[in-house]
Amino acid sequence: QVQLVESGGGLVQAGGSLRLSCIASTMTFNTLPLAWFRQAPGKDREFLAAISWSGGDGGSTFYADSVKDRFAISRHNAKNTLYLQMSSLKPEDTADYYCAAALPYYTGNRYRTPTGYVNWGQGTQVTVSS
């Protein structure tokens, strides 16, 4: 079981930026495919971005079309930390943001869906005011 703890959420004005962090408690962080999702009230959990386990800190990245020009996912394996840099935030970005970890070395095609991940953080709230 990998414990994930997000931080960095808060209240920001439209057009602003935030950086979310997710620290993992595991000795094998570098083997984990990782992702960020979000969930707004009354909506399904939405895929935002994923990063592969291979390639060290420079793993392959994948984005939802809705955020690909505004959000950037990255990882720092030595710090067991996953990041999501968010810029040009909009009120519709308001949601709870979750980091997620798949099974070690996973390379399947479910990385854009919640079912592809087995460990989740508790979430951090992001509110974007207009």
Side-chain angles (χ1 to χ4, degrees), residues 105-126:
Y105 307 114
Y106 177 73
T107 57
N109 60 6
R110 291 183 295 156
Y111 64 91
R112 292 180 180 266
T113 69
T115 58
Y117 299 88
V118 295
N119 291 289
W120 293 84
Q122 293 299 305
T124 185
Q125 188 173 54
V126 172

Side-chain angles (χ1 to χ4, degrees), residues 34-124:
L34 302 165
W36 287 97
F37 288 76
R38 69 185 177 191
Q39 189 165 19
K43 295 189 176 181
D44 292 336
R45 194 160 291 193
E46 176 190 11
F47 169 77
L48 298 175
I51 187 166
S52 68
W53 62 268
S54 61
D57 290 349
S60 298
T61 57
F62 310 89
Y63 294 93
D65 289 343
S66 59
V67 303
K68 64 181 179 180
D69 296 325
R70 301 185 296 122
F71 292 7
I73 188 171
S74 62
R75 64 191 298 159
H76 194 306
N77 286 341
K79 294 184 178 180
N80 274 23
T81 303
L82 175 72
Y83 301 101
L84 185 69
Q85 179 67 48
M86 306 186 294
S87 59
S88 302
L89 285 162
K90 306 173 182 179
E92 51 264 44
D93 293 319
T94 295
D96 292 326
Y97 284 68
Y98 299 88
C99 63
L103 290 171
Y105 307 114
Y106 177 73
T107 57
N109 60 6
R110 291 183 295 156
Y111 64 91
R112 292 180 180 266
T113 69
T115 58
Y117 299 88
V118 295
N119 291 289
W120 293 84
Q122 293 299 305
T124 185

